[in-house]
Amino acid sequence: MADITEIRELAQKLNLWNIARGYIDLNDEKLSNLDYLKMVLEKELEIRARQKHTKLKKASKLPNKAFDASNSNKGLKWQIKQLSNLTWLKEEQNLILLGKCGTGKTGLAAQLGETAISNGHKTYYAPFDNFIAVAEKKATNPKAEAIFSYMQECDLIIIDDVFYVEPTRAELQVFYRAVTFLNETRSIIFITNRELSAWIDVADDKHLCQTLLDRMTVNCQIVRLTDK
């Protein structure tokens, strides 16, 4: 049997303040059955949650990729299980997914992004080239400005193919500025197939690259994926 307190709590979540604050008498004999009303309000919340998930998923641009953990070693399985709790996201930690091509890095990032969205977190995915293009044009291009503004609203940003191809000095500068700005109040997942030590080897501006790495890894977990 539903009670009035439960119904008022549900009404508050729906901004139905006349019910939530007791202005409408739920004990009035002329009202519908309380259990039915409770079911209606719960259904409304369920529909809203589903609509919110659909909206966040569409805005995220997450790739339609899945991660197969069946052949992963026990250590990686344990690490992924811990990451699924999203403690790192709540603590605004970064993740670096490191491994060769074909090891499932993007699939794992998409899986974590989907988990974040399911928990109500705004998420945005961008390959490195797209991220650079948006960061470069945000001051002059309305579409880029809108995308960058949305990234500022996000709790999680996923950047794929970082250092897959050696960035130019100009691209590295743009990347550094954007990451430094965005990383202040949110988590970023960096996906790369290149060892971090090798970033400096191929960078034109080695000092800037080292500074970038220092900022990325100061509050960070590294997840290393290997060939199955």
Side-chain angles (χ1 to χ4, degrees):
M1 180 71 178
D3 60 40
I4 292 175
T5 300
E6 289 178 310
I7 291 174
R8 285 180 176 169
E9 288 175 352
L10 289 168
Q12 183 175 349
K13 293 178 180 179
L14 292 167
N15 292 326
L16 302 175
W17 294 108
N18 289 325
I19 295 177
R21 293 171 179 167
Y23 298 153
I24 296 175
D25 184 6
L26 297 180
N27 288 311
D28 192 320
E29 293 180 356
K30 294 180 291 184
L31 292 179
S32 301
N33 182 279
L34 292 181
D35 284 323
Y36 178 76
L37 178 57
K38 180 172 180 283
M39 181 272 292
V40 169
L41 296 178
E42 287 177 334
K43 187 66 176 178
E44 176 68 20
L45 284 173
E46 178 186 327
I47 292 171
R48 290 190 183 189
R50 190 163 58 245
Q51 291 174 335
K52 180 180 179 181
H53 181 275
T54 300
K55 182 179 179 180
L56 290 178
K57 179 67 179 293
K58 182 178 180 180
S60 73
K61 306 300 181 184
L62 280 177
N64 187 24
K65 291 190 176 183
F67 178 71
D68 181 9
S70 60
N71 295 321
S72 300
N73 60 52
K74 291 182 179 180
L76 180 57
K77 287 181 179 178
W78 178 88
Q79 192 173 17
I80 292 172
K81 183 178 180 180
Q82 298 303 309
L83 293 174
S84 298
N85 294 330
L86 299 182
T87 301
W88 57 277
L89 184 60
K90 297 171 186 175
E91 296 177 353
E92 297 178 358
Q93 291 183 356
N94 293 332
L95 298 182
I96 296 176
L97 305 187
L98 177 63
K100 295 179 180 178
C101 294
T103 52
K105 301 184 298 299
T106 301
L108 176 56
Q111 177 178 302
L112 293 172
E114 177 68 34
T115 301
I117 289 171
S118 295
N119 283 270
H121 297 289
K122 286 187 177 181
T123 299
Y124 191 79
Y125 166 92
F128 180 80
D129 290 347
N130 291 9
F131 181 83
I132 293 296
V134 167
E136 280 182 325
K137 299 175 183 177
K138 59 183 174 61
T140 58
N141 183 291
K143 183 176 180 180
E145 181 184 11
I147 293 173
F148 197 81
S149 294
Y150 185 76
M151 284 195 283
Q152 289 179 254
E153 298 174 7
C154 288
D155 303 300
L156 174 62
I157 297 171
I158 302 171
I159 308 175
D160 205 348
D161 295 329
V162 182
F163 268 74
Y164 179 75
V165 176
E166 296 89 337
T168 65
R169 183 184 294 268
E171 287 173 337
L172 183 60
Q173 291 173 344
V174 171
F175 187 62
Y176 173 79
R177 288 194 296 268
V179 165
T180 300
F181 176 76
L182 291 170
N183 200 203
E184 291 182 353
T185 56
R186 62 190 53 79
S187 295
I188 300 178
I189 296 179
F190 301 93
I191 306 172
T192 182
N193 68 336
R194 195 187 294 267
E195 292 289 340
L196 301 185
S197 58
W199 287 24
I200 299 174
D201 293 337
V202 300
D204 288 337
D205 190 332
K206 300 186 185 305
H207 175 72
L208 181 60
C209 188
Q210 182 62 65
T211 305
L212 170 66
L213 285 170
D214 290 343
R215 287 186 177 273
M216 287 171 50
T217 57
V218 70
N219 185 28
C220 176
Q221 295 187 51
I222 296 177
V223 181
R224 186 178 293 276
L225 288 83
T226 58
D227 295 324
K228 296 181 175 61

